[in-house]
Amino acid sequence: GAVVSQHPSWVICKSGTSVKIECRSLDFQATTMFWYRQFPKQSLMLMATSNEGSKATYEQGVEKDKFLINHASLTLSTLTVTSAHPEDSSFYICSAREVAGMNTGELFFGEGSRLTVL
Amino acid sequence: AQSVAQPEDQVNVAEGNPLTVKCTYSVSGNPYLFWYVQYPNRGLQFLLKYITGDNLVKGSYGFEAEFNKSQTSFHLKKPSALVSDSALYFCAVSPRNTNAGKSTFGDGTTLTVKP
C-alpha cells in the first residue's frame, strides 16, 4: 500500500523557536495533503489542506501565520510551527490522498510527530 | 455539513468474543465511509472502506463493517477479538466529489480486549 513518511517522530524545543515537520509520500504522488492536530485521547482536528503548488487552505480558528504550510512538490509537504509555545505541544499528523485514488477519498497517514515545547 | 458520531468512548470485550464498534453519520448524498485504527503514538492505519455495492465490507486483520443506509450506520465488527486489536478506532466520512479525502472523523472509540 501507499506509504507516507513523517519526520521527525519526536521533537523537543524551547519556547520561541520554530519547528519544521516534513510529510513525504514515498511511493505515490499526492497533490493534496492534510495536516491534523490530536490532543490526548481526542479525535483528529483538521488544521489545513495542503495543495501542491498553491497556498494551503486553513480551517477556521487555525492561525496561518503560526502554522506555515508549504507543499512544494507532489511528494512533500511541510508544517512549520513558528515561535512555538507550550500550548502548541501536541501530536501532529499528516495524511495524503493518492492522485489515482482521488475518487474514493482514502487517506494514507504519516506516523505522527510529537512536539513538546518547553 | 457532514458529521460522524461514535457513541461509545470505550468498548471492552474478552478475547475470542465478537466485537462491535458503532458509527453513525450524517451527510447529504452518498458518502464514502472508512474505518481507521490508531495505536499509541502512531499515525492512523486504514482498515476498510465502503464505496458502493455489497453492504458488508471486509478489511484488514479480519475486520468487517456493515453499511446500513436506512440507519445511516457503518458499524465495525470482528467475529473473534484478539488482545492485539486493542487500539483507538476512528470512523470517517468523505464526500463523493473533488473534496474526497477531506474526511470528517468521529471522536474515536478505544477498544480494549482482555485476555
Side-chain angles (χ1 to χ4, degrees):
Chain A
V3 178
V4 175
S5 173
Q6 190 172 339
H7 178 81
S9 302
W10 299 82
V11 57
I12 300 174
C13 69
K14 294 182 179 180
S15 184
T17 61
S18 295
V19 174
K20 179 184 286 188
I21 301 170
E22 293 186 348
C23 181
R24 294 181 183 271
S25 56
L26 297 186
D27 52 0
F28 67 99
Q29 293 183 331
T31 55
T32 303
M33 292 184 176
F34 302 92
W35 287 96
Y36 310 84
R37 185 171 178 176
Q38 186 179 32
F39 294 98
K41 298 185 178 180
Q42 292 191 18
S43 186
L44 303 173
M45 183 192 80
L46 179 64
M47 299 174 66
T49 302
S50 172
N51 301 298
E52 186 268 336
S54 64
K55 292 183 178 180
T57 303
Y58 290 82
E59 296 299 304
Q60 191 173 9
V62 178
E63 300 175 60
K64 61 181 180 181
D65 295 330
K66 173 76 170 177
F67 300 100
L68 299 179
I69 292 173
N70 184 277
H71 195 154
S73 76
L74 286 172
T75 59
L76 174 64
S77 175
T78 60
L79 168 68
T80 301
V81 183
T82 62
S83 187
H85 291 283
E87 57 266 29
D88 299 324
S89 299
S90 191
F91 193 54
Y92 293 89
I93 306 175
C94 71
S95 71
R97 186 179 75 192
E98 186 174 8
V99 173
M102 67 184 298
N103 290 327
T104 65
E106 182 175 339
L107 295 172
F108 302 96
F109 287 82
E111 289 295 294
S113 298
R114 174 73 61 192
L115 170 63
T116 301
V117 185
L118 302 176
Chain B
Q2 54 190 27
S3 65
V4 177
Q6 292 180 242
E8 302 156 316
D9 291 335
Q10 179 93 29
V11 170
N12 299 313
V13 298
E15 187 174 31
N17 284 0
L19 69 87
T20 298
V21 182
K22 296 179 180 178
C23 171
T24 59
Y25 65 92
S26 175
V27 65
S28 58
N30 297 314
Y32 300 125
L33 297 163
F34 305 88
W35 276 101
Y36 295 89
V37 60
Q38 184 182 31
Y39 296 98
N41 294 309
R42 304 290 295 276
L44 278 66
Q45 296 178 32
F46 168 78
L47 274 181
L48 51 79
K49 64 182 176 184
Y50 174 81
I51 304 299
T52 188
D54 193 350
N55 289 341
L56 185 64
V57 179
K58 294 188 182 296
S60 306
Y61 312 119
F63 283 94
E64 57 189 28
E66 187 169 10
F67 170 64
N68 188 315
K69 187 174 182 178
S70 62
Q71 297 185 4
T72 60
S73 66
F74 190 55
H75 301 330
L76 181 70
K77 300 180 180 182
K78 187 172 182 179
S80 178
L82 299 173
V83 173
S84 57
D85 293 330
S86 298
L88 182 58
Y89 290 81
F90 290 101
C91 180
V93 60
S94 176
R96 288 180 186 255
N97 53 33
T98 54
N99 281 325
K102 190 173 182 179
S103 296
T104 299
F105 290 83
D107 289 338
T109 298
T110 299
L111 171 67
T112 302
V113 182
K114 298 183 178 178

